[in-house]
Amino acid sequence: MNFFEKSNEIKEYMIDIRRRIHENPELAFDLEDTSKLVKEELDKLGISYTSPIENSVLASLGKGDRTILLRADMDALPIEEENDLDFKSKNQCGHMCGHDFHTAMLLGTAKILKGIEEDLDGVVKLMFQPAEEILKGSEKMIEAGILDNPKVDRAVMVHMDTTRPMGIYIKDGAMATSNNNFRIRVEGKSCHGAMPENGIDAAFVASQIVNGLQEIVSRELSFTKGAVLTTGHIKAGSAPNIIPDKAIIEGTCRTYHEESKKHIQKRIPELSKYIAKAYRADSTFEILSDVPAIINDKDFYKDAIRVLENVKEENKDFNLIDDCEAVTASDDFANVARLVPSLMLMVGCKVENGEVYPLHNGKAIFNEDSIVYGPTTMASLAYDYLKGENK
């Protein structure tokens, strides 16, 4: 079964869906139009589905003892698109992380697999997920039971990457970092800016905490168990001549190592508390997100390499990159991968001409020719697991 050929046959179908979604980006759980589009396409294909949570879709096809889940996230970013495309976003949000591609590619995969449904000795679940960008969607869908009835045995996701040449990228082990977004609130005492002795400067205390937090990653973690800790949002005060009584620090921590993640989670509130006390202030700590790293399953990886090398042997234009570089971003598919043997693969979609912009940039451009790599990969892995030599 040559899924690369089949994917190229439906390339324009997927590009059309991608562009329709791209023009109307929606955020978080508010995906009424996007989820409606997905349901309409599944209806045309004759594929049954449910909505386990708000504006989500869980479709399935095939029957048998084994079950594989294929996942696409559907939400956009609160970023205004800066490109001049015929199908440019019509609102103030943008699909600058490629989730329009993910959704279109999973629908393309559904179209291919529906055509060979009788050959599938098992079940394929198609997970169309909201709210990945706020790291909430997968957890809610798991709580709604998407991994049960029938129980999911393996799971796959693919993600676009505008900085990598066109192809499919895979590696064993750690593929994406954990994500701990956090918030620290500093409580001081306001006063006149010319009389600082009468107050407790929350802005000053916050600046000391920001500096102090870097000690955790530079002096408390092993070189081989490193992490990145970024404080990207600091807010304090309302006027230049008022000592502020409150400050907010928001940041994120990323690492591939669970022990480092736990250590940082423990140390941030300790360090911020005692730095604040040293300057007569108080602080509180809140975790805003807690997503583990994505660790590609070793056995599934071996099967995937075998399958994708066969695809490459059949199709000389198919670009497979093994042992690729992991990504330092995170994805809440990690909640699935924590429970089920899983794979995350990257689809390189770097444009051949013009300046290259990374994901989450308002000027990011995606090479639409790369869209065939999604269904080629997902359909090949699903078919092999449910019908191939692996059985």
Side-chain angles (χ1 to χ4, degrees):
M1 190 71 66
N2 194 324
F3 291 110
F4 191 55
E5 285 186 357
K6 287 186 173 293
S7 297
N8 275 284
E9 289 171 4
I10 62 167
K11 177 179 172 181
E12 295 307 317
Y13 164 81
M14 292 186 289
I15 289 176
D16 174 67
I17 290 174
R18 181 257 163 160
R19 291 183 176 185
R20 286 156 56 196
I21 295 172
H22 190 90
E23 281 186 320
N24 185 28
E26 297 174 298
L27 301 179
F29 290 103
D30 298 324
L31 306 180
E32 288 86 357
D33 290 342
T34 307
S35 60
K36 180 182 177 183
L37 182 154
V38 169
K39 292 173 183 177
E40 288 175 347
E41 292 301 321
L42 291 172
D43 285 336
K44 293 175 187 176
L45 295 172
I47 297 176
S48 61
Y49 57 83
T50 61
S51 296
I53 64 170
E54 56 188 307
N55 294 319
S56 71
V57 181
L58 181 67
S60 65
L61 48 85
K63 60 177 70 173
D65 295 333
R66 288 184 168 189
T67 301
I68 187 168
L69 180 143
L70 310 177
R71 180 271 207 161
D73 39 12
M74 302 185 290
D75 55 324
L77 289 159
I79 298 175
E80 187 170 354
E81 184 173 6
E82 300 177 51
N83 298 313
D84 187 21
L85 302 172
D86 292 339
F87 51 94
K88 180 181 178 179
S89 169
K90 294 179 178 179
N91 57 43
Q92 301 303 304
C93 302
H95 270 293
M96 315 318 295
C97 198
H99 295 189
D100 50 344
F101 271 86
H102 301 169
T103 305
M105 292 189 299
L106 189 53
L107 284 169
T109 305
K111 186 178 182 71
I112 291 171
L113 292 178
K114 181 62 179 178
I116 58 167
E117 185 173 15
E118 292 184 359
D119 296 333
L120 300 176
D121 190 9
V123 176
V124 180
K125 288 187 177 183
L126 308 169
M127 176 185 179
F128 295 89
Q129 179 203 312
E132 189 283 324
E133 293 294 354
I134 61 171
L135 304 173
K136 300 293 185 182
S138 71
E139 186 175 26
K140 286 192 70 173
M141 290 188 76
I142 292 169
E143 290 173 353
I146 63 158
L147 299 181
D148 303 313
N149 301 315
K151 179 181 178 296
V152 172
D153 302 301
R154 285 185 170 183
V156 181
M157 67 158 287
V158 296
H159 201 295
M160 309 309 290
D161 188 339
T162 56
T163 67
R164 305 188 197 212
M166 187 164 62
I168 192 74
Y169 293 73
I170 186 173
K171 73 180 293 291
D172 187 17
M175 187 62 176
T177 66
S178 61
N179 181 309
N180 277 145
N181 292 341
F182 61 87
R183 178 183 294 131
I184 300 169
R185 296 183 185 273
V186 179
E187 295 284 340
K189 180 182 177 182
S190 71
C191 66
H192 196 290
M195 307 170 192
E197 71 277 10
N198 294 327
I200 300 172
D201 190 341
F204 174 80
V205 175
S207 69
Q208 303 307 306
I209 291 174
V210 168
N211 287 332
L213 292 182
Q214 293 305 316
E215 183 273 343
I216 302 173
V217 293
S218 67
R219 290 296 178 267
E220 297 184 19
L221 299 181
S222 163
F223 180 77
T224 60
K225 304 287 185 181
V228 169
L229 197 163
T230 296
T231 46
H233 180 215
I234 305 172
K235 181 180 180 181
S238 58
N241 62 342
I242 301 173
I243 298 289
D245 62 343
K246 292 180 176 60
I248 294 175
I249 304 165
E250 291 181 336
T252 189
C253 174
R254 309 296 177 95
T255 180
Y256 299 113
H257 309 284
E258 182 66 16
E259 59 269 39
S260 297
K261 179 171 83 80
K262 289 180 178 178
H263 180 77
I264 294 169
Q265 275 186 340
K266 175 176 176 289
R267 289 290 289 138
I268 291 177
E270 290 177 350
L271 208 60
S272 58
K273 174 183 177 180
Y274 288 108
I275 289 174
K277 283 191 175 297
Y279 295 101
R280 301 173 295 137
D282 293 309
S283 73
T284 59
F285 173 74
E286 176 186 1
I287 292 177
L288 304 178
S289 65
D290 190 359
V291 173
I294 296 179
I295 310 298
N296 281 343
D297 181 77
K298 187 176 293 293
D299 291 335
F300 197 179
Y301 163 77
K302 290 178 181 178
D303 289 337
I305 285 297
R306 169 180 54 78
V307 171
L308 295 175
E309 284 180 345
N310 288 337
V311 174
K312 183 175 178 60
E313 188 173 334
E314 282 187 288
N315 306 275
K316 301 308 179 186
D317 293 336
F318 184 79
N319 190 21
L320 170 64
I321 299 90
D322 182 18
D323 196 25
C324 69
E325 185 176 339
V327 295
T328 54
S330 59
D331 192 295
D332 77 345
F333 178 75
N335 291 319
V336 174
R338 179 171 53 87
L339 301 171
V340 175
S342 298
L343 282 183
M344 174 185 183
L345 303 95
M346 303 300 292
V347 175
C349 56
K350 182 179 179 180
V351 292
E352 295 180 358
N353 299 302
E355 190 166 354
V356 173
Y357 293 92
L359 299 176
H360 289 222
N361 186 299
K363 295 181 180 180
I365 294 286
F366 299 74
N367 186 339
E368 290 188 318
D369 289 336
S370 67
I371 203 166
V372 297
Y373 279 88
T376 299
T377 300
M378 290 188 284
S380 296
L381 296 181
Y383 182 77
D384 177 77
Y385 185 61
L386 301 182
K387 188 67 177 178
E389 301 170 9
N390 195 40
K391 186 175 178 183

